[in-house]
Amino acid sequence: MLANDYIKYVMYKPDTLGSVTTANATDNPPPSTPKPLEGVRILALEQMQALPYATQLLARLGADVVKIEPPMGGDSGRASLPAMTDPSGRRVGATYLRNNFGKRSICVDLKSPRGVELIKRLAPGFDVVAENSKPGTMTRLGVGYEDIAAVHPAVIYASVSGFGNTVPTPYREWPAFAPIVEAMSGIYEMKRDGDHPPFVAPVGALGDIGAALFATIGIQAALRYRDLTGRGQYVDIAMYDSVVAMTDIVTNFWSMGLRNGNLGPLIMNGFRAADGWFVLQVGREAHFAKLAQLIGRPEWLTDPRLATRQGWVDHLEDIVRPAVEQWAGGKTKLEACRTLGAAGLAAGPCFTDEEVVADPHLSARSMLTELPRTDGISQPILVPGNPVRLTAMANDTERRPPWLGEHTTAVLTDELSLTADELAALRSDGIIA
């Protein structure tokens, strides 16, 4: 691992897969430029992805995030697969590695009253205390909102859970992972084909990352509210709510009379080119006319079967698709999309994983961060960079994810002035690690 624990953003060269170069930082302010959330401090009792993605984004924007992990095993995301081995020989899973850049890790046993007391002593030094356990868990442990607010009235306390903490709901006690709330949002059934089973997790952990993004917004809004009023509050984010907000077409289209997955009359489909697939969207008559002219089918403009948007959909398979794929058959998917785009038509190639990591757009915007492995494997781990680009913020380095309990001694010494003997006693009793 890099000696100073900081990692340069990298840009994968599109013509040489696996060859990397550090991102050009000349477009960024100097590293001394402050980040917008510098001074904001977050104590995160978190695991897996729904909250860790949020706190990582806040850390990338300058917040100081201290992550609380159980002494035995740490964040459950460390046990995910695929994994690498850390310098101490422990397995570190992909979920953990991609969600914890820029944080510090301390190990505290929250099942012990002495561990709970440590958290209560730490809390007043932080602006935000955040957790993503099953509803009621933190309260039972003694570190729920009321417990923390009693020692830190101005705290912003944020919870991310499957179905929320503050409003009665029939699902409140259900455990939840991203695919569960995605299924409940209606989008799986809306997109399901015939009698086939639903296609689960089609875009990765949408339920986790969506909830994390809303948590990020809620935390920053609560901080601003405290700036205005001096008052803290509880930020309650439900993963189910978050996915429903992102799959808004399910409820909106239902209310407007569309049923059974009907998306309305438009072309929004995949088409085959010489080397793979691309997606084309045509939803307006002017765009359909451009498509007809571009692919050499001007007769479509006077064909009564294609006179309406519904006609495009009804004749997608017997007229539209064969013509589009005949035109695209002599082109790569990228060439087809460039030509369509030049004509004002929205189209994008369906990239493979190797094409994504070599994409020049991601290179130009420094959207891949290289994490060197610590287990002798030369291929670095790639993690998405920060998609929030602020022109006044330096954006060229990352601090690697912390090893388990790496900062326990430093944080408890700095924050609580614990002596070496006190730390040794806590460690001996298994309260910290």
Side-chain angles (χ1 to χ4, degrees), residues 12-273:
Y12 267 70
K13 296 179 181 178
D15 58 341
T16 312
L17 185 64
S19 175
V20 301
T21 179
T22 54
N24 185 345
T26 57
D27 294 334
N28 291 319
S32 59
T33 301
K35 292 186 176 182
L37 296 185
E38 284 189 13
V40 172
R41 309 193 70 214
I42 301 171
L43 194 63
L45 292 72
E46 61 181 17
Q47 59 184 325
M48 294 298 286
Q49 183 156 303
L51 178 60
Y53 187 94
T55 53
Q56 175 174 265
L57 182 55
L58 294 166
R60 282 171 156 166
L61 294 173
D64 175 23
V65 179
V66 173
K67 182 182 184 76
I68 309 297
E69 301 192 61
M72 295 299 293
D75 178 341
S76 54
R78 290 181 182 270
S80 66
L81 294 173
M84 77 171 190
T85 303
D86 73 12
S88 298
R90 300 185 184 94
R91 192 177 79 183
V92 190
T95 301
Y96 180 86
L97 290 171
R98 70 173 181 268
N99 287 292
N100 289 285
F101 275 77
K103 304 178 187 178
R104 295 185 287 164
S105 167
I106 70 173
C107 287
V108 178
D109 183 7
L110 293 181
K111 295 181 180 179
S112 162
R114 291 163 67 192
V116 168
E117 183 60 28
L118 283 176
I119 298 302
K120 289 182 177 179
R121 291 177 62 189
L122 283 170
F126 290 80
D127 300 284
V128 180
V129 174
E131 60 88 18
N132 67 317
S133 294
K134 187 178 175 181
T137 300
M138 292 294 106
T139 298
R140 286 193 296 273
L141 292 174
V143 287
Y145 172 61
E146 298 295 338
D147 303 299
I148 300 301
V151 297
H152 184 12
V155 71
I156 307 301
Y157 191 101
S159 292
V160 178
S161 62
F163 305 98
N165 280 264
T166 57
V167 177
T169 165
Y171 312 125
R172 185 176 185 271
E173 300 303 320
W174 287 18
F177 290 106
I180 308 309
V181 293
E182 291 167 20
M184 295 175 72
S185 77
I187 199 67
Y188 285 7
E189 193 64 19
M190 188 181 199
K191 297 289 186 177
R192 190 172 61 80
D193 183 25
D195 198 37
H196 291 93
F199 186 68
V200 177
V203 293
L206 179 69
D208 286 334
I209 293 177
L213 294 177
F214 286 111
T216 301
I217 295 168
I219 287 169
Q220 291 185 87
L223 288 168
R224 176 58 177 154
Y225 182 83
R226 191 176 67 183
D227 288 343
L228 296 172
T229 68
R231 295 197 296 271
Q233 61 181 298
Y234 193 2
V235 178
D236 182 26
I237 304 295
M239 295 165 64
Y240 186 21
D241 299 358
S242 301
V243 179
V244 167
M246 290 184 294
T247 59
D248 58 343
I249 59 173
V250 174
T251 51
N252 178 247
F253 282 13
W254 179 90
S255 73
M256 300 181 75
L258 295 180
R259 300 290 191 275
N260 301 318
N262 186 353
L263 297 179
L266 79 163
I267 298 170
M268 189 173 66
N269 299 88
F271 297 87
R272 191 187 297 274

Side-chain angles (χ1 to χ4, degrees), residues 68-72 106-110 112 114-116 118-119 122 404-405 407-413 416 418-433:
I68 309 297
E69 301 192 61
M72 295 299 293
I106 70 173
C107 287
V108 178
D109 183 7
L110 293 181
S112 162
R114 291 163 67 192
V116 168
L118 283 176
I119 298 302
L122 283 170
L404 181 60
H407 305 96
T408 302
T409 297
V411 170
L412 295 180
T413 300
L416 303 181
L418 295 186
T419 67
D421 288 344
E422 289 173 316
L423 291 169
L426 289 167
R427 190 173 291 110
S428 176
D429 293 341
I431 309 302
I432 64 173

Side-chain angles (χ1 to χ4, degrees), residues 395-408:
N395 199 40
D396 65 334
T397 58
E398 296 266 27
R399 192 170 70 236
R400 64 160 172 79
W403 309 131
L404 181 60
E406 180 177 357
H407 305 96
T408 302

